[in-house]
Amino acid sequence: MNQFHSLISNFKEGDIIYGFYYCNDKNIKYSKNGDKYLDIQLSDNKSSIYGKVWNHVEHFNLKFNSDMIIAVKGRII
């Protein structure tokens, strides 16, 4: 099911979400295979969630910082 501007507390596994969320934290990390990914924490006015950016890490790392509101599209797994 697609959600637009849904509250984080309403996310369900399998949802594809689109919205604007506050980025509380952003760090580059490495997987067990040595691949880079962004580890981020997003929040709305009621709750928060951790997320990963697996593709185009360098590109997205330059696009936003923590303490910013960012546009997000992702799948809840």
Side-chain angles (χ1 to χ4, degrees):
M1 170 184 243
N2 292 343
Q3 301 282 331
F4 186 74
H5 291 287
S6 181
L7 293 174
I8 291 171
S9 59
N10 293 334
F11 289 178
K12 293 184 180 33
E13 187 173 341
D15 284 351
I16 296 173
I17 56 99
Y18 305 88
F20 294 91
Y21 301 96
Y22 184 78
C23 179
N24 298 65
D25 195 27
K26 176 183 85 160
N27 295 290
I28 291 180
K29 294 189 176 180
Y30 293 87
S31 70
K32 293 177 189 175
N33 298 330
D35 297 326
K36 279 185 186 181
Y37 68 93
L38 287 179
D39 188 39
I40 60 175
Q41 182 185 23
L42 304 172
S43 64
D44 57 25
N45 59 352
K46 295 187 178 197
S47 53
S48 65
I49 191 169
Y50 287 93
K52 310 283 188 262
V53 178
W54 296 103
N55 298 315
H56 311 290
V57 172
E58 293 297 334
H59 171 78
F60 287 112
N61 188 46
L62 296 173
K63 292 290 183 184
F64 70 95
N65 295 310
S66 57
D67 298 326
M68 293 178 70
I69 294 175
I70 61 172
V72 175
K73 175 185 174 190
R75 179 181 304 273
I76 305 301
I77 56 172

